[in-house]
Amino acid sequence: MILKVVKYGDPVLEKEGQLVTEFDGKLNELVENMFETMLAEKGVGLAAPQIGQSLKLFVMDCSGGKEPKDRIAFINPIIQETKDTQVGDEGCLSFPDIYFQVERPRIVTVTAFDVNGKEFTMNLEDLAARCVLHETDHLYGKLFTDFLKKLSFLKRDKIKKKIDKKIKYGEWD
Ligand SMILES: [Zn+2]
């Protein structure tokens, strides 16, 4: 089932999610629906608050549905270590058509649980590392627009105006 993606302005996006405690059929269904929604929206990552569920959980697939091994659910993830830096264009399904450069670590070690409640650790690089960091931020109510302050005034002002305009004209929905 394709779920509705919550857009910027909804308070759920700026709230810390609860830890997932029940690894049951309901969780499995939620995760499957999140994968389906992410694929339909052509995203590479989708966090639970983005579909209105204040939980520490996100799904990721940097292959866009092409590689089954890249289809990963991260439940209660914790970033253990980060290395290096990368700068690249970043977007978010909760901010349609808004993209700007964000500097993040290039390598990340993350520990999380799968849908069966089994703990795992992964080392990820480049786009996958960027995605894990962006989605983990969502679980703490942190949005990528926090990184706008690192841009020059002109760039920041242009993006802020674009966001304000979209909200004003109801283009988010
Ligand atoms: Zn996002």
Side-chain angles (χ1 to χ4, degrees), residues 1-122:
M1 192 172 82
I2 296 172
L3 308 167
K4 187 172 160 44
V5 175
V6 169
K7 305 300 188 303
Y8 176 62
D10 189 313
V12 72
L13 290 175
E14 292 172 81
K15 201 166 104 180
E16 181 173 348
Q18 305 270 320
L19 283 170
V20 172
T21 52
E22 303 288 335
F23 293 82
D24 53 9
K26 221 176 114 198
L27 177 69
N28 206 49
E29 197 186 327
L30 174 65
V31 166
E32 286 308 311
N33 288 338
M34 284 174 67
F35 274 120
E36 202 181 325
T37 304
M38 176 178 69
L39 207 62
E41 299 278 342
K42 297 182 168 38
V44 292
L46 181 69
Q50 291 183 280
I51 45 106
Q53 299 273 341
S54 197
L55 291 169
K56 285 203 171 78
L57 145 71
F58 72 86
V59 297
M60 173 173 103
D61 186 348
C62 291
S63 77
K66 291 185 190 88
E67 287 284 339
K69 69 166 174 48
D70 289 345
R71 193 178 184 275
I72 313 162
F74 295 80
I75 299 161
N76 302 338
I78 291 174
I79 304 296
Q80 303 290 354
E81 203 185 345
T82 59
K83 273 187 241 166
D84 289 354
T85 57
Q86 59 172 329
V87 178
D89 263 351
E90 206 166 300
C92 179
L93 292 178
S94 296
F95 292 81
D97 299 322
I98 302 291
Y99 299 91
F100 57 91
Q101 292 219 315
V102 176
E103 182 183 315
R104 292 195 189 262
R106 195 183 70 78
I107 301 172
V108 59
T109 304
V110 57
T111 302
F113 293 86
D114 67 14
V115 282
N116 301 310
K118 192 171 177 285
E119 196 174 16
F120 64 92
T121 300
M122 280 187 118

Side-chain angles (χ1 to χ4, degrees), residues 147-162:
F147 290 90
L148 279 174
K149 56 181 179 278
K150 294 200 171 180
L151 298 181
S152 70
F153 175 77
L154 278 177
K155 281 186 187 165
R156 184 169 71 221
D157 196 50
K158 204 174 142 197
I159 293 160
K160 277 191 170 160
K161 277 188 180 142
K162 197 171 167 186

